[in-house]
Amino acid sequence: MKWWHNEKVSVVWTVFRIWLGIKWLEAGWHKIQDGFDASGFLQGAIAKAAGENPAVQGWYAEFLKEFAVPNVELFNILIPWGEVLAGLGLITGLMTIPALVAAAFMNLNFLMAGTVSTNPILLTVAVILLFTGKGAYYWGADHWVIPYLKQNFFHKKGGQPKKAVVV
């Protein structure tokens, strides 16, 4: 067992994971409760692509202008609910790795849109937790769910995945 998968060290990863989950849950919940419209944010990011030292790369501004702005209603749903779901996954330790990937992806996009704020810190914590692998969810639902799923649904027998029994 690698040292970062250790039961005692995993307590540290759990604290970081839950803290990160709370940050995402709070951010998404406020957007859902208060109503969220990404239009202003997107226009601001596009504007940051101009000038001598742009905060936003031209290619990313084009992506925002050509794809995100025309589909802002979709982003108005994806962003807050993505934040809430990532937060819940991280707090409970259920689907931890997908939640970390989603959180890191959102932070990366916010950074590319020219918003620094807490994004570098949150992205760094997500990446560290991704590198810890099982250590990130040793004290979480995935600690029990993943072995159960592997045993009952993904156990290979004779080269074929075990078939799920539908009740």
Side-chain angles (χ1 to χ4, degrees), residues 8-144:
K8 292 176 183 148
V9 176
S10 293
V11 171
V12 174
W13 306 137
T14 302
V15 170
F16 280 125
R17 188 193 79 227
I18 291 172
W19 173 81
L20 185 62
I22 290 168
K23 294 297 179 192
W24 280 111
L25 181 62
E26 287 175 341
W29 189 249
H30 288 297
K31 287 178 179 78
I32 291 169
Q33 291 293 94
D34 301 338
F36 178 69
D37 184 6
S39 300
F41 177 80
L42 294 173
Q43 293 302 329
I46 292 166
K48 291 178 187 176
E52 190 174 319
N53 296 310
V56 175
Q57 294 293 305
W59 68 268
Y60 193 74
E62 282 299 311
F63 162 75
L64 295 176
K65 186 166 52 172
E66 300 299 324
F67 183 75
V69 170
N71 296 295
V72 71
E73 293 302 320
L74 176 64
F75 282 88
N76 289 343
I77 295 166
L78 289 177
I79 292 170
W81 284 104
E83 291 176 349
V84 165
L85 292 172
L88 289 173
L90 293 171
I91 290 167
T92 62
L94 181 64
M95 294 189 65
T96 306
I97 301 302
L100 285 168
V101 169
F105 182 72
M106 286 187 285
N107 283 131
L108 180 62
N109 277 277
F110 296 150
L111 282 166
M112 288 192 300
T115 304
V116 177
S117 183
T118 59
N119 288 302
I121 295 164
L122 300 178
L123 177 59
T124 301
V125 172
V127 169
I128 289 169
L129 290 172
L130 281 167
F131 277 109
T132 68
K134 292 179 192 175
Y137 58 78
Y138 187 89
W139 297 104
D142 284 341
H143 181 77
W144 295 279

